Amino acid sequence: MQGKQDAATHEEYIERLDEPRRGDVRALHELIRRTLPELEPTMRFGMLGYGQYHYRYPSGREGDWVLVAVASNKNYISLYVTAEAPDGGYLAESYKDRLPKASIGKSCVRFKRLGDVDREALERLLRDAARAGFPGS
């Protein structure tokens, strides 16, 4: 199972995964729920989402997205963090030094196994995202 799914719940999404990915995604889901219990879970986007918000660009384009999302892709787990760093850049990118075994691009942290990354650094990233709040807020 890769990326987006048609699962109705977080539990259904996780149960559809094969081991060892299922255990890693479940542990990441539990880490997010424990660290950010205030973010409402959603499955609207075909992946595990937490903290939905509405955005509107100056061009008039608008839509809905989440502060944090998790997707199980073919070769890795993706943790999306849609938050701005204090310097105005992407928050996830500011964690490159703290998550050296992850591939990090703008707002996405990719890793093969949850055991490859520092869970305390992930918790800090999630807390920093919650403090930064929803983009545009």
Side-chain angles (χ1 to χ4, degrees):
M1 183 88 20
Q2 298 177 29
K4 294 183 179 183
Q5 293 185 18
D6 62 356
T9 66
H10 284 202
E11 188 59 33
E12 184 181 342
Y13 181 101
I14 293 167
E15 283 303 313
R16 289 182 180 182
L17 302 173
D18 294 328
E19 287 296 352
R21 185 65 62 85
R22 180 185 312 136
D24 282 347
V25 171
R26 182 178 308 286
L28 182 57
H29 165 70
E30 290 169 357
L31 174 84
I32 294 167
R33 296 301 300 141
R34 187 175 56 253
T35 306
L36 303 175
E38 70 277 12
L39 295 185
E40 183 179 338
T42 181
M43 279 301 302
R44 184 170 175 191
F45 307 105
M47 58 185 138
L48 308 180
Y50 310 86
Q52 184 172 319
Y53 68 94
H54 188 77
Y55 65 85
R56 177 181 220 133
Y57 292 123
S59 67
R61 180 179 170 207
E62 59 185 296
D64 296 306
W65 193 237
V66 289
L67 183 64
V68 175
V70 174
S72 175
N73 295 297
K74 182 178 180 180
N75 295 314
Y76 49 82
I77 298 168
S78 296
L79 172 66
Y80 299 95
V81 180
T82 313
E84 197 173 284
D87 67 3
Y90 292 92
L91 184 62
E93 283 185 317
S94 71
Y95 273 75
K96 281 185 179 182
D97 292 343
R98 291 177 251 185
L99 298 167
K101 289 189 174 182
S103 169
I104 300 178
K106 298 190 188 229
S107 61
C108 184
V109 177
R110 292 174 294 278
F111 47 90
K112 289 188 182 268
R113 297 292 317 263
L114 185 58
D116 291 341
V117 294
D118 180 344
R119 287 190 195 204
E120 288 182 23
L122 286 180
E123 286 180 27
R124 283 192 299 271
L125 171 60
L126 293 167
R127 284 190 192 102
D128 287 349
R131 274 193 289 279
F134 298 103
S137 62

